[in-house]
Amino acid sequence: HGFTEKFFGDIGFSYEHNDYPTAITVAGKTDKREDNFFSGGIGASYELSEWFIFSLKYDYRVRTSNFSIYDFENNRISASLTGHF
């Protein structure tokens, strides 16, 4: 989405489900593993010149599993300077 001629942003969300075909045993529990991934992010970019764009982005990702040892939560902030010609 463009806020101005040089400043624009984006937002996104995704979901993914994974079923694993083989049963595993972890901490005395045997089952087929199932994971759910949720992720979302927001970003903004500014066109510094005809040649360069500066971007700043935040991403969040979480995985939940029927085996809690595989659960995780992740936060990431990134900045980039892109040149094109």
Side-chain angles (χ1 to χ4, degrees):
H1 183 295
F3 300 113
T4 68
E5 187 177 304
K6 293 186 171 232
F7 182 67
F8 45 98
D10 62 84
I11 189 167
F13 175 78
S14 67
Y15 169 77
E16 179 182 332
H17 177 82
N18 291 337
D19 285 321
Y20 294 83
T22 306
I24 61 171
T25 302
V26 176
K29 175 184 174 182
T30 301
D31 200 355
K32 290 183 180 179
R33 183 173 153 196
E34 294 182 26
D35 294 349
N36 293 292
F37 291 89
F38 301 92
S39 61
I42 189 167
S45 297
Y46 183 76
E47 186 177 324
L48 298 169
S49 70
E50 182 181 349
W51 309 104
F52 294 101
I53 297 174
F54 174 75
S55 300
L56 192 60
K57 187 167 185 178
Y58 168 75
D59 290 304
Y60 174 77
R61 183 168 167 120
V62 63
R63 175 175 62 196
T64 59
S65 178
N66 59 332
F67 290 93
S68 62
I69 192 170
Y70 296 108
D71 291 352
F72 76 84
E73 187 174 5
N74 177 302
N75 291 279
R76 182 176 58 183
I77 296 173
S78 60
S80 66
L81 179 63
T82 305
H84 55 94
F85 47 101

